[in-house]
Amino acid sequence: MSGLFATLNASASALQAHALAVEITGKNLANANNAGYARQTVNYATGATVVTEQGAQSLGLAANVTQIRDTLLDRQVLRETSLSSYYGTLQQALQRAQAGLGQTLSSAASTDGTSTVTTDTGIGAALDDFFNSFQALAATPTDSGAKQAVLASANTLADRLQQADATLAQGQTDLGTKITSDASDANSLLHTLADLNSQIVRIEANAPGSAVDLRDQRQDALEKLAALMPVSVTDAGGGAIQVSANGSSGGVVLVDHGTVNGTVAFTGTQITAGSPATALTLTGGSMQGALAARDGALQTLRDQFDALASQLVSSVNAVYNPSGSTGDFFTAGDTTAATITVSSGLTAANLRAGASTGAAGDNSVALALGRLATTKFTASGSNPIDGTLGAFFSSSIA
């Protein structure tokens, strides 16, 4: 009878193995569009052999499920995900800043091969209008309408500089908020990884590599974490992994088996993690992309707008009020993009086109102010910019 039972048992094990294969095939089809799923396959092997009264007999066909994964490719995906997220976040931040400034970079090329900047609604257009209004005033120095146009263009220019600075400042605030939010998401993912580590170790204690679905979930969590910050993964044995980040003085362990070591945090100036908290030197991820945009491009642009405002105020006031006794055009001392304003006492009635002691048709001041549009400054001494005001602005935006 043992021979009959052995035959029946072998047939049953074969049916079970093939049933498992059908089940896994259906599972693979069902998860065809699941980005976090790795295709699974059934491996067949001869079952164990036991000794009976009739001699050695096989227990039939054995089958086990494995994932079709490549550890090297998984690591590469983590690295590329971090880089892609970094540049994507940086691009989005700069696009928002560009939209807020009303500036767009034209795809057309000028005769010297350089791209041109289109400034229909931004500071560039206001700067051109400002100097054009002085040229118009020089043509009709006693016309009150021309004087009103000068004041209107000056106020528009000041308003746009203030608005640009406020837009960039708000952008920096929003990026800081994003970094804090990303740090919170990173901590949630670290706890998820630690929990999955514990589950995998427990399930695979007697069946290494069998917790395939949990391994999928862990890899998916790793890729989401990599989008926030670059991490390195090492095998910790027993199915567990160790997750680390690059710190200022070496590797910072974030997850070790089922334990999370400290938290990821944003101090306002740098990203820290681990226990004790260590400053991270990140080379990718959305957190670093946001920080690079906030403290890099956006801050640089704000500094350049401040330099533009400072040069504008000092140059215009020097021409309009050379002696320092006839009243400034722009408010003296308000030399940043956030504070630049037209002098409160300046009106169309007292706006001068020429020297205060000149004749009624004197247009010397208006002519000199109009020529400031083509005046080239040198960033030395008291000048904060190089080149003309318009060229400096265009290069800052481009």
CSV table of all heavy atoms in Angstrom, one decimal, residues 179-213:
chain,number,residue,atom,x,y,z
A,179,ILE,N,10.4,71.3,2.4
A,179,ILE,CA,11.5,70.5,3.0
A,179,ILE,C,11.0,69.9,4.3
A,179,ILE,O,11.3,68.7,4.5
A,179,ILE,CB,12.8,71.3,3.2
A,179,ILE,CG1,13.3,71.9,1.8
A,179,ILE,CG2,13.9,70.5,3.8
A,179,ILE,CD1,14.4,72.9,1.9
A,180,THR,N,10.4,70.7,5.1
A,180,THR,CA,9.9,70.2,6.4
A,180,THR,C,8.9,69.0,6.2
A,180,THR,O,8.9,68.0,6.9
A,180,THR,CB,9.2,71.3,7.2
A,180,THR,OG1,10.2,72.3,7.4
A,180,THR,CG2,8.7,70.8,8.5
A,181,SER,N,8.0,69.2,5.2
A,181,SER,CA,7.0,68.2,4.9
A,181,SER,C,7.6,66.9,4.3
A,181,SER,O,7.3,65.8,4.7
A,181,SER,CB,6.0,68.7,3.8
A,181,SER,OG,5.1,67.7,3.5
A,182,ASP,N,8.6,67.1,3.5
A,182,ASP,CA,9.4,65.9,2.9
A,182,ASP,C,10.1,65.2,4.1
A,182,ASP,O,10.2,63.9,4.0
A,182,ASP,CB,10.4,66.4,1.9
A,182,ASP,CG,9.7,66.7,0.6
A,182,ASP,OD1,8.5,66.5,0.4
A,182,ASP,OD2,10.4,67.2,-0.3
A,183,ALA,N,10.6,65.9,5.0
A,183,ALA,CA,11.3,65.3,6.1
A,183,ALA,C,10.3,64.4,6.9
A,183,ALA,O,10.7,63.3,7.4
A,183,ALA,CB,12.0,66.3,7.0
A,184,SER,N,9.1,64.9,7.1
A,184,SER,CA,8.1,64.2,7.8
A,184,SER,C,7.7,62.9,7.1
A,184,SER,O,7.6,61.8,7.6
A,184,SER,CB,6.9,65.0,8.0
A,184,SER,OG,5.8,64.3,8.7
A,185,ASP,N,7.6,63.0,5.7
A,185,ASP,CA,7.3,61.8,4.9
A,185,ASP,C,8.5,60.8,5.0
A,185,ASP,O,8.3,59.6,5.0
A,185,ASP,CB,7.1,62.3,3.4
A,185,ASP,CG,5.8,63.1,3.3
A,185,ASP,OD1,5.0,63.0,4.1
A,185,ASP,OD2,5.7,63.8,2.2
A,186,ALA,N,9.7,61.3,5.0
A,186,ALA,CA,10.9,60.4,5.1
A,186,ALA,C,10.8,59.6,6.4
A,186,ALA,O,11.1,58.4,6.4
A,186,ALA,CB,12.2,61.3,5.0
A,187,ASN,N,10.5,60.3,7.5
A,187,ASN,CA,10.4,59.6,8.8
A,187,ASN,C,9.4,58.5,8.8
A,187,ASN,O,9.5,57.4,9.3
A,187,ASN,CB,10.2,60.6,9.9
A,187,ASN,CG,11.4,61.5,10.2
A,187,ASN,OD1,12.5,61.0,10.2
A,187,ASN,ND2,11.1,62.7,10.5
A,188,SER,N,8.2,58.8,8.1
A,188,SER,CA,7.2,57.8,8.0
A,188,SER,C,7.7,56.6,7.2
A,188,SER,O,7.4,55.4,7.6
A,188,SER,CB,5.9,58.4,7.3
A,188,SER,OG,4.9,57.5,7.2
A,189,LEU,N,8.4,56.8,6.2
A,189,LEU,CA,8.9,55.8,5.3
A,189,LEU,C,10.0,55.0,6.1
A,189,LEU,O,10.1,53.7,5.9
A,189,LEU,CB,9.5,56.3,4.0
A,189,LEU,CG,8.5,56.8,3.0
A,189,LEU,CD1,9.2,57.6,1.9
A,189,LEU,CD2,7.7,55.6,2.4
A,190,LEU,N,10.8,55.6,6.9
A,190,LEU,CA,11.8,54.9,7.7
A,190,LEU,C,11.1,53.9,8.7
A,190,LEU,O,11.6,52.8,8.8
A,190,LEU,CB,12.6,55.9,8.5
A,190,LEU,CG,13.6,56.8,7.6
A,190,LEU,CD1,14.3,57.8,8.5
A,190,LEU,CD2,14.6,55.9,6.8
A,191,HIS,N,10.0,54.3,9.3
A,191,HIS,CA,9.3,53.4,10.2
A,191,HIS,C,8.7,52.3,9.4
A,191,HIS,O,8.6,51.2,9.9
A,191,HIS,CB,8.3,54.2,11.0
A,191,HIS,CG,8.9,55.1,12.1
A,191,HIS,ND1,9.3,54.5,13.3
A,191,HIS,CD2,9.1,56.4,12.2
A,191,HIS,CE1,9.8,55.5,14.1
A,191,HIS,NE2,9.7,56.7,13.4
A,192,THR,N,8.2,52.6,8.2
A,192,THR,CA,7.6,51.5,7.4
A,192,THR,C,8.7,50.5,7.1
A,192,THR,O,8.4,49.3,7.1
A,192,THR,CB,7.0,52.1,6.1
A,192,THR,OG1,6.0,53.0,6.4
A,192,THR,CG2,6.5,51.0,5.2
A,193,LEU,N,9.9,51.0,6.7
A,193,LEU,CA,11.0,50.1,6.4
A,193,LEU,C,11.4,49.2,7.6
A,193,LEU,O,11.7,48.0,7.4
A,193,LEU,CB,12.2,50.9,5.9
A,193,LEU,CG,12.0,51.5,4.5
A,193,LEU,CD1,13.1,52.5,4.2
A,193,LEU,CD2,12.0,50.4,3.4
A,194,ALA,N,11.5,49.8,8.7
A,194,ALA,CA,11.8,49.1,9.9
A,194,ALA,C,10.8,48.0,10.2
A,194,ALA,O,11.1,46.8,10.6
A,194,ALA,CB,12.0,50.0,11.1
A,195,ASP,N,9.5,48.3,10.1
A,195,ASP,CA,8.4,47.4,10.3
A,195,ASP,C,8.5,46.2,9.3
A,195,ASP,O,8.3,45.0,9.6
A,195,ASP,CB,7.1,48.1,10.2
A,195,ASP,CG,5.9,47.1,10.5
A,195,ASP,OD1,5.9,46.5,11.6
A,195,ASP,OD2,5.0,47.0,9.7
A,196,LEU,N,8.7,46.5,8.0
A,196,LEU,CA,8.8,45.5,7.0
A,196,LEU,C,10.1,44.6,7.2
A,196,LEU,O,10.0,43.4,7.0
A,196,LEU,CB,8.9,46.2,5.6
A,196,LEU,CG,7.6,46.8,5.1
A,196,LEU,CD1,7.9,47.6,3.8
A,196,LEU,CD2,6.6,45.7,4.8
A,197,ASN,N,11.1,45.2,7.7
A,197,ASN,CA,12.3,44.4,8.0
A,197,ASN,C,11.9,43.3,9.1
A,197,ASN,O,12.3,42.2,8.9
A,197,ASN,CB,13.4,45.3,8.6
A,197,ASN,CG,14.5,45.7,7.6
A,197,ASN,OD1,14.5,45.1,6.5
A,197,ASN,ND2,15.3,46.6,7.9
A,198,SER,N,11.2,43.8,10.1
A,198,SER,CA,10.9,42.8,11.2
A,198,SER,C,10.0,41.7,10.7
A,198,SER,O,10.2,40.5,11.0
A,198,SER,CB,10.2,43.6,12.3
A,198,SER,OG,11.0,44.6,12.9
A,199,GLN,N,9.0,42.1,9.8
A,199,GLN,CA,8.1,41.1,9.3
A,199,GLN,C,8.8,40.1,8.4
A,199,GLN,O,8.6,38.9,8.4
A,199,GLN,CB,7.0,41.7,8.5
A,199,GLN,CG,6.0,42.6,9.3
A,199,GLN,CD,4.9,43.2,8.4
A,199,GLN,OE1,4.2,42.4,7.8
A,199,GLN,NE2,4.8,44.5,8.4
A,200,ILE,N,9.7,40.6,7.5
A,200,ILE,CA,10.5,39.7,6.6
A,200,ILE,C,11.4,38.7,7.4
A,200,ILE,O,11.4,37.5,7.1
A,200,ILE,CB,11.3,40.5,5.6
A,200,ILE,CG1,10.3,41.3,4.7
A,200,ILE,CG2,12.2,39.7,4.8
A,200,ILE,CD1,11.0,42.3,3.8
A,201,VAL,N,12.0,39.2,8.4
A,201,VAL,CA,12.9,38.4,9.2
A,201,VAL,C,12.1,37.3,9.9
A,201,VAL,O,12.5,36.1,9.9
A,201,VAL,CB,13.7,39.2,10.2
A,201,VAL,CG1,14.4,38.3,11.2
A,201,VAL,CG2,14.7,40.1,9.5
A,202,ARG,N,11.0,37.6,10.4
A,202,ARG,CA,10.1,36.6,11.1
A,202,ARG,C,9.6,35.6,10.1
A,202,ARG,O,9.6,34.4,10.4
A,202,ARG,CB,9.0,37.4,11.7
A,202,ARG,CG,8.1,36.4,12.6
A,202,ARG,CD,7.1,37.2,13.4
A,202,ARG,NE,6.1,37.9,12.6
A,202,ARG,CZ,6.2,39.3,12.4
A,202,ARG,NH1,7.1,40.0,13.0
A,202,ARG,NH2,5.3,39.9,11.7
A,203,ILE,N,9.1,36.0,8.9
A,203,ILE,CA,8.6,35.0,8.0
A,203,ILE,C,9.6,34.2,7.3
A,203,ILE,O,9.4,33.0,7.0
A,203,ILE,CB,7.8,35.8,6.9
A,203,ILE,CG1,6.5,36.4,7.5
A,203,ILE,CG2,7.4,34.9,5.7
A,203,ILE,CD1,5.7,37.4,6.6
A,204,GLU,N,10.8,34.8,7.1
A,204,GLU,CA,11.8,34.0,6.4
A,204,GLU,C,12.8,33.3,7.3
A,204,GLU,O,13.8,32.8,6.9
A,204,GLU,CB,12.6,35.0,5.5
A,204,GLU,CG,11.8,35.6,4.4
A,204,GLU,CD,12.6,36.4,3.4
A,204,GLU,OE1,13.8,36.6,3.6
A,204,GLU,OE2,12.1,36.9,2.4
A,205,ALA,N,12.4,33.2,8.6
A,205,ALA,CA,13.3,32.5,9.5
A,205,ALA,C,13.6,31.0,9.0
A,205,ALA,O,14.7,30.6,9.2
A,205,ALA,CB,12.7,32.5,10.9
A,206,ASN,N,12.6,30.4,8.5
A,206,ASN,CA,12.8,29.0,8.1
A,206,ASN,C,12.6,28.8,6.6
A,206,ASN,O,12.6,27.7,6.0
A,206,ASN,CB,11.7,28.1,8.8
A,206,ASN,CG,12.0,28.0,10.3
A,206,ASN,OD1,13.1,27.9,10.7
A,206,ASN,ND2,10.9,28.2,11.0
A,207,ALA,N,12.4,30.0,5.9
A,207,ALA,CA,12.2,29.9,4.4
A,207,ALA,C,12.8,31.2,3.8
A,207,ALA,O,12.0,32.1,3.4
A,207,ALA,CB,10.7,29.8,4.1
A,208,PRO,N,14.1,31.2,3.7
A,208,PRO,CA,14.7,32.4,3.1
A,208,PRO,C,14.2,32.8,1.8
A,208,PRO,O,14.0,32.0,0.9
A,208,PRO,CB,16.2,32.0,3.0
A,208,PRO,CG,16.4,31.0,4.1
A,208,PRO,CD,15.1,30.2,4.1
A,209,GLY,N,13.9,34.1,1.6
A,209,GLY,CA,13.5,34.7,0.3
A,209,GLY,C,12.0,34.4,0.0
A,209,GLY,O,11.5,34.8,-1.1
A,210,SER,N,11.2,33.9,1.0
A,210,SER,CA,9.9,33.5,0.7
A,210,SER,C,8.9,34.7,0.8
A,210,SER,O,7.8,34.7,0.3
A,210,SER,CB,9.4,32.4,1.6
A,210,SER,OG,9.5,32.8,3.0
A,211,ALA,N,9.3,35.8,1.5
A,211,ALA,CA,8.3,36.9,1.8
A,211,ALA,C,8.4,37.9,0.6
A,211,ALA,O,8.8,39.0,0.7
A,211,ALA,CB,8.7,37.6,3.1
A,212,VAL,N,8.0,37.4,-0.6
A,212,VAL,CA,8.2,38.2,-1.8
A,212,VAL,C,7.4,39.4,-1.8
A,212,VAL,O,7.8,40.5,-2.3
A,212,VAL,CB,7.9,37.3,-3.0
A,212,VAL,CG1,9.1,36.2,-3.2
A,212,VAL,CG2,6.6,36.6,-2.9
A,213,ASP,N,6.1,39.3,-1.4
A,213,ASP,CA,5.2,40.5,-1.4
A,213,ASP,C,5.8,41.6,-0.4
A,213,ASP,O,5.7,42.8,-0.7
A,213,ASP,CB,3.8,40.1,-1.0
A,213,ASP,CG,3.2,39.3,-2.1
A,213,ASP,OD1,3.5,39.4,-3.3
A,213,ASP,OD2,2.3,38.4,-1.8
